Amino acid sequence: GGGGGADATPPPPAPAPMGPLGIAAHRVELPSSRVRGDLTIQHKIQEAHRKLEERQRKKRSYRDLCFFLLFYLTYLGIVWDQRSAYESFKIESALKDIFVDEEFLRTDTHVLKTYEDIGEVSEFWQWMKGPFLNAISETNEYELSYVLRFNRLLGGPRIRQLRVRDNSCAIPSQLQRFYRHTGCYAFYSATATDTLPYGPYSKAARDDAERLGLDAHTYVDERLAVMANASTNELQNERCRLHEDGFCYRTTNSPQTFGRVSTYDGNGYYIDLQYNNDAAREQVDMLEANGWIDLQTRAVLITVNVFNPHVNYIASLQ
């Protein structure tokens, strides 16, 4: 009976920690080989899912490609079925002959000259007022606005130019004294494009200035100063209202034009000619008299759209 020595009973183990639901949590040690096996199976399942999705994606792509090719071939078949290459060639040749190969008026030149021979601004205006206006102002038995009698004009022919800003290039300081009155004008590019109006003021601007007792230049400056806080579109529309047609920069939805020197966007300074020959001639005379083409001009583009109902053919000339 003495004191409890070495034969005393060891204390009981500490109770297992309780989980959030009052359930005792026991740590179970799994063999490392089993853990690796579970990870390998999970990786294989994920890889199988990825390959399945990739196969389905490729299948959808092939299906979409087949549908597109079917649509494209059907479209080409319908188009070619409705068009005759021979008729198209005849119309294009006839239009080229009357616009490009037609000779200048005898009163304008004493030698044989066509569009391809234009080498200066005066010759361009001779071609405009000669072969071009004569071509777009033909009359059939009923109405105006026909080319070669059967090709109906779709809208008025559009004359458009693109310009560059004054002093858009740098002149070496040693040579600046030789160019004080001419300026420097760069090749056409998006960064050098000019968008400011120029040339004569419109009849509306001149009438408003006369009513207010001002000269046209002062009236236009004051009018634009009043609209200094207006939006860009509103300000540009007002500038165009104050200037004659063709002397104001406008934006269009026309595509780019690829030329020999540069690529030109679809915007610019343009005027749509009237159907009537006399009215169209007055517009061209106005452009020539007011210096529509000058040192800042970099490209002049003329667009004519015609429709020939006999062969169901639309031709766009530029």
Side-chain angles (χ1 to χ4, degrees), residues 126-145:
Q126 290 174 358
W127 174 79
M128 282 290 301
K129 291 187 287 187
F132 181 77
L133 286 183
N134 291 340
I136 66 172
S137 303
E138 288 192 6
T139 307
N140 64 7
E141 289 84 351
Y142 305 102
E143 56 184 342
L144 291 170
S145 68

PDB file of all heavy atoms in Angstrom, residues 126-145:
ATOM      1  N   GLN A 126     -10.069  72.055-119.872  1.00  0.00           N
ATOM      2  CA  GLN A 126     -10.512  71.854-121.249  1.00  0.00           C
ATOM      3  C   GLN A 126     -11.169  70.486-121.415  1.00  0.00           C
ATOM      4  O   GLN A 126     -12.193  70.357-122.104  1.00  0.00           O
ATOM      5  CB  GLN A 126      -9.316  71.977-122.200  1.00  0.00           C
ATOM      6  CG  GLN A 126      -8.770  73.385-122.339  1.00  0.00           C
ATOM      7  CD  GLN A 126      -7.502  73.429-123.167  1.00  0.00           C
ATOM      8  OE1 GLN A 126      -6.999  72.394-123.626  1.00  0.00           O
ATOM      9  NE2 GLN A 126      -6.960  74.623-123.367  1.00  0.00           N
ATOM     10  N   TRP A 127     -10.591  69.478-120.793  1.00  0.00           N
ATOM     11  CA  TRP A 127     -11.194  68.146-120.866  1.00  0.00           C
ATOM     12  C   TRP A 127     -12.534  68.112-120.136  1.00  0.00           C
ATOM     13  O   TRP A 127     -13.499  67.502-120.622  1.00  0.00           O
ATOM     14  CB  TRP A 127     -10.244  67.131-120.245  1.00  0.00           C
ATOM     15  CG  TRP A 127     -10.834  65.751-120.145  1.00  0.00           C
ATOM     16  CD1 TRP A 127     -10.942  64.830-121.153  1.00  0.00           C
ATOM     17  CD2 TRP A 127     -11.413  65.156-118.982  1.00  0.00           C
ATOM     18  NE1 TRP A 127     -11.561  63.696-120.687  1.00  0.00           N
ATOM     19  CE2 TRP A 127     -11.856  63.860-119.356  1.00  0.00           C
ATOM     20  CE3 TRP A 127     -11.596  65.583-117.673  1.00  0.00           C
ATOM     21  CZ2 TRP A 127     -12.474  62.997-118.454  1.00  0.00           C
ATOM     22  CZ3 TRP A 127     -12.210  64.718-116.771  1.00  0.00           C
ATOM     23  CH2 TRP A 127     -12.643  63.443-117.162  1.00  0.00           C
ATOM     24  N   MET A 128     -12.628  68.794-118.980  1.00  0.00           N
ATOM     25  CA  MET A 128     -13.872  68.812-118.228  1.00  0.00           C
ATOM     26  C   MET A 128     -14.989  69.446-119.045  1.00  0.00           C
ATOM     27  O   MET A 128     -16.107  68.917-119.125  1.00  0.00           O
ATOM     28  CB  MET A 128     -13.683  69.589-116.924  1.00  0.00           C
ATOM     29  CG  MET A 128     -12.962  68.824-115.822  1.00  0.00           C
ATOM     30  SD  MET A 128     -13.946  67.474-115.144  1.00  0.00           S
ATOM     31  CE  MET A 128     -15.381  68.346-114.545  1.00  0.00           C
ATOM     32  N   LYS A 129     -14.703  70.590-119.658  1.00  0.00           N
ATOM     33  CA  LYS A 129     -15.747  71.332-120.375  1.00  0.00           C
ATOM     34  C   LYS A 129     -15.959  70.824-121.796  1.00  0.00           C
ATOM     35  O   LYS A 129     -16.906  71.250-122.462  1.00  0.00           O
ATOM     36  CB  LYS A 129     -15.384  72.823-120.394  1.00  0.00           C
ATOM     37  CG  LYS A 129     -15.466  73.453-119.017  1.00  0.00           C
ATOM     38  CD  LYS A 129     -15.266  74.953-119.059  1.00  0.00           C
ATOM     39  CE  LYS A 129     -13.840  75.333-119.322  1.00  0.00           C
ATOM     40  NZ  LYS A 129     -13.632  76.813-119.193  1.00  0.00           N
ATOM     41  N   GLY A 130     -15.101  69.896-122.224  1.00  0.00           N
ATOM     42  CA  GLY A 130     -15.257  69.324-123.550  1.00  0.00           C
ATOM     43  C   GLY A 130     -15.775  67.895-123.496  1.00  0.00           C
ATOM     44  O   GLY A 130     -16.985  67.658-123.358  1.00  0.00           O
ATOM     45  N   PRO A 131     -14.890  66.913-123.583  1.00  0.00           N
ATOM     46  CA  PRO A 131     -15.349  65.513-123.635  1.00  0.00           C
ATOM     47  C   PRO A 131     -16.174  65.077-122.421  1.00  0.00           C
ATOM     48  O   PRO A 131     -17.162  64.354-122.576  1.00  0.00           O
ATOM     49  CB  PRO A 131     -14.027  64.731-123.717  1.00  0.00           C
ATOM     50  CG  PRO A 131     -13.054  65.683-124.315  1.00  0.00           C
ATOM     51  CD  PRO A 131     -13.437  67.037-123.802  1.00  0.00           C
ATOM     52  N   PHE A 132     -15.808  65.525-121.214  1.00  0.00           N
ATOM     53  CA  PHE A 132     -16.512  65.026-120.028  1.00  0.00           C
ATOM     54  C   PHE A 132     -17.949  65.520-119.975  1.00  0.00           C
ATOM     55  O   PHE A 132     -18.889  64.729-119.851  1.00  0.00           O
ATOM     56  CB  PHE A 132     -15.753  65.441-118.766  1.00  0.00           C
ATOM     57  CG  PHE A 132     -16.404  64.944-117.501  1.00  0.00           C
ATOM     58  CD1 PHE A 132     -16.264  63.625-117.113  1.00  0.00           C
ATOM     59  CD2 PHE A 132     -17.163  65.794-116.711  1.00  0.00           C
ATOM     60  CE1 PHE A 132     -16.878  63.144-115.963  1.00  0.00           C
ATOM     61  CE2 PHE A 132     -17.775  65.339-115.555  1.00  0.00           C
ATOM     62  CZ  PHE A 132     -17.629  64.010-115.186  1.00  0.00           C
ATOM     63  N   LEU A 133     -18.155  66.839-120.034  1.00  0.00           N
ATOM     64  CA  LEU A 133     -19.514  67.367-119.955  1.00  0.00           C
ATOM     65  C   LEU A 133     -20.369  66.910-121.128  1.00  0.00           C
ATOM     66  O   LEU A 133     -21.574  66.662-120.977  1.00  0.00           O
ATOM     67  CB  LEU A 133     -19.481  68.891-119.873  1.00  0.00           C
ATOM     68  CG  LEU A 133     -19.045  69.499-118.539  1.00  0.00           C
ATOM     69  CD1 LEU A 133     -19.124  71.016-118.596  1.00  0.00           C
ATOM     70  CD2 LEU A 133     -19.906  68.972-117.386  1.00  0.00           C
ATOM     71  N   ASN A 134     -19.771  66.791-122.288  1.00  0.00           N
ATOM     72  CA  ASN A 134     -20.540  66.307-123.433  1.00  0.00           C
ATOM     73  C   ASN A 134     -20.976  64.856-123.235  1.00  0.00           C
ATOM     74  O   ASN A 134     -22.057  64.454-123.675  1.00  0.00           O
ATOM     75  CB  ASN A 134     -19.710  66.423-124.717  1.00  0.00           C
ATOM     76  CG  ASN A 134     -19.497  67.870-125.127  1.00  0.00           C
ATOM     77  OD1 ASN A 134     -20.237  68.762-124.711  1.00  0.00           O
ATOM     78  ND2 ASN A 134     -18.475  68.114-125.934  1.00  0.00           N
ATOM     79  N   ALA A 135     -20.146  64.079-122.545  1.00  0.00           N
ATOM     80  CA  ALA A 135     -20.469  62.660-122.349  1.00  0.00           C
ATOM     81  C   ALA A 135     -21.597  62.463-121.347  1.00  0.00           C
ATOM     82  O   ALA A 135     -22.454  61.597-121.526  1.00  0.00           O
ATOM     83  CB  ALA A 135     -19.225  61.906-121.882  1.00  0.00           C
ATOM     84  N   ILE A 136     -21.619  63.259-120.272  1.00  0.00           N
ATOM     85  CA  ILE A 136     -22.613  63.030-119.216  1.00  0.00           C
ATOM     86  C   ILE A 136     -23.905  63.798-119.453  1.00  0.00           C
ATOM     87  O   ILE A 136     -24.838  63.685-118.652  1.00  0.00           O
ATOM     88  CB  ILE A 136     -22.051  63.448-117.842  1.00  0.00           C
ATOM     89  CG1 ILE A 136     -21.813  64.963-117.780  1.00  0.00           C
ATOM     90  CG2 ILE A 136     -20.792  62.674-117.515  1.00  0.00           C
ATOM     91  CD1 ILE A 136     -21.449  65.469-116.414  1.00  0.00           C
ATOM     92  N   SER A 137     -24.003  64.547-120.513  1.00  0.00           N
ATOM     93  CA  SER A 137     -25.176  65.400-120.725  1.00  0.00           C
ATOM     94  C   SER A 137     -25.970  65.008-121.957  1.00  0.00           C
ATOM     95  O   SER A 137     -26.697  65.814-122.521  1.00  0.00           O
ATOM     96  CB  SER A 137     -24.736  66.866-120.838  1.00  0.00           C
ATOM     97  OG  SER A 137     -24.019  67.262-119.698  1.00  0.00           O
ATOM     98  N   GLU A 138     -25.831  63.749-122.385  1.00  0.00           N
ATOM     99  CA  GLU A 138     -26.587  63.325-123.550  1.00  0.00           C
ATOM    100  C   GLU A 138     -28.070  63.170-123.197  1.00  0.00           C
ATOM    101  O   GLU A 138     -28.447  62.950-122.049  1.00  0.00           O
ATOM    102  CB  GLU A 138     -26.040  62.003-124.087  1.00  0.00           C
ATOM    103  CG  GLU A 138     -24.692  62.142-124.767  1.00  0.00           C
ATOM    104  CD  GLU A 138     -24.326  60.898-125.540  1.00  0.00           C
ATOM    105  OE1 GLU A 138     -25.172  59.997-125.633  1.00  0.00           O
ATOM    106  OE2 GLU A 138     -23.203  60.837-126.040  1.00  0.00           O
ATOM    107  N   THR A 139     -28.912  63.267-124.190  1.00  0.00           N
ATOM    108  CA  THR A 139     -30.364  63.186-124.011  1.00  0.00           C
ATOM    109  C   THR A 139     -30.933  62.086-124.898  1.00  0.00           C
ATOM    110  O   THR A 139     -30.574  61.989-126.065  1.00  0.00           O
ATOM    111  CB  THR A 139     -31.030  64.529-124.388  1.00  0.00           C
ATOM    112  OG1 THR A 139     -30.401  65.582-123.671  1.00  0.00           O
ATOM    113  CG2 THR A 139     -32.510  64.503-124.052  1.00  0.00           C
ATOM    114  N   ASN A 140     -31.780  61.231-124.293  1.00  0.00           N
ATOM    115  CA  ASN A 140     -32.504  60.294-125.145  1.00  0.00           C
ATOM    116  C   ASN A 140     -33.841  60.929-125.539  1.00  0.00           C
ATOM    117  O   ASN A 140     -34.028  62.134-125.400  1.00  0.00           O
ATOM    118  CB  ASN A 140     -32.695  58.951-124.452  1.00  0.00           C
ATOM    119  CG  ASN A 140     -33.557  59.048-123.202  1.00  0.00           C
ATOM    120  OD1 ASN A 140     -34.129  60.099-122.892  1.00  0.00           O
ATOM    121  ND2 ASN A 140     -33.643  57.948-122.478  1.00  0.00           N
ATOM    122  N   GLU A 141     -34.791  60.130-125.947  1.00  0.00           N
ATOM    123  CA  GLU A 141     -36.049  60.706-126.436  1.00  0.00           C
ATOM    124  C   GLU A 141     -36.876  61.355-125.326  1.00  0.00           C
ATOM    125  O   GLU A 141     -37.808  62.118-125.617  1.00  0.00           O
ATOM    126  CB  GLU A 141     -36.887  59.615-127.113  1.00  0.00           C
ATOM    127  CG  GLU A 141     -36.327  59.143-128.450  1.00  0.00           C
ATOM    128  CD  GLU A 141     -35.261  58.083-128.285  1.00  0.00           C
ATOM    129  OE1 GLU A 141     -34.841  57.836-127.131  1.00  0.00           O
ATOM    130  OE2 GLU A 141     -34.821  57.516-129.303  1.00  0.00           O
ATOM    131  N   TYR A 142     -36.561  61.051-124.054  1.00  0.00           N
ATOM    132  CA  TYR A 142     -37.456  61.481-122.981  1.00  0.00           C
ATOM    133  C   TYR A 142     -36.809  62.402-121.952  1.00  0.00           C
ATOM    134  O   TYR A 142     -37.436  63.314-121.455  1.00  0.00           O
ATOM    135  CB  TYR A 142     -38.025  60.255-122.259  1.00  0.00           C
ATOM    136  CG  TYR A 142     -38.703  59.287-123.204  1.00  0.00           C
ATOM    137  CD1 TYR A 142     -38.055  58.128-123.606  1.00  0.00           C
ATOM    138  CD2 TYR A 142     -39.975  59.545-123.707  1.00  0.00           C
ATOM    139  CE1 TYR A 142     -38.669  57.232-124.472  1.00  0.00           C
ATOM    140  CE2 TYR A 142     -40.599  58.654-124.581  1.00  0.00           C
ATOM    141  CZ  TYR A 142     -39.931  57.495-124.955  1.00  0.00           C
ATOM    142  OH  TYR A 142     -40.536  56.627-125.816  1.00  0.00           O
ATOM    143  N   GLU A 143     -35.545  62.188-121.597  1.00  0.00           N
ATOM    144  CA  GLU A 143     -34.983  62.949-120.489  1.00  0.00           C
ATOM    145  C   GLU A 143     -33.469  63.063-120.605  1.00  0.00           C
ATOM    146  O   GLU A 143     -32.832  62.413-121.425  1.00  0.00           O
ATOM    147  CB  GLU A 143     -35.344  62.281-119.158  1.00  0.00           C
ATOM    148  CG  GLU A 143     -34.913  60.832-119.080  1.00  0.00           C
ATOM    149  CD  GLU A 143     -35.350  60.160-117.807  1.00  0.00           C
ATOM    150  OE1 GLU A 143     -35.678  60.883-116.850  1.00  0.00           O
ATOM    151  OE2 GLU A 143     -35.355  58.927-117.757  1.00  0.00           O
ATOM    152  N   LEU A 144     -32.917  63.896-119.712  1.00  0.00           N
ATOM    153  CA  LEU A 144     -31.470  64.104-119.658  1.00  0.00           C
ATOM    154  C   LEU A 144     -30.800  62.998-118.846  1.00  0.00           C
ATOM    155  O   LEU A 144     -31.431  62.022-118.474  1.00  0.00           O
ATOM    156  CB  LEU A 144     -31.177  65.460-119.018  1.00  0.00           C
ATOM    157  CG  LEU A 144     -31.550  66.712-119.814  1.00  0.00           C
ATOM    158  CD1 LEU A 144     -31.428  67.945-118.942  1.00  0.00           C
ATOM    159  CD2 LEU A 144     -30.641  66.847-121.034  1.00  0.00           C
ATOM    160  N   SER A 145     -29.521  63.231-118.556  1.00  0.00           N
ATOM    161  CA  SER A 145     -28.708  62.407-117.644  1.00  0.00           C
ATOM    162  C   SER A 145     -28.507  60.993-118.149  1.00  0.00           C
ATOM    163  O   SER A 145     -28.681  60.027-117.411  1.00  0.00           O
ATOM    164  CB  SER A 145     -29.310  62.392-116.238  1.00  0.00           C
ATOM    165  OG  SER A 145     -30.543  61.706-116.203  1.00  0.00           O
TER     166      SER A 145
END
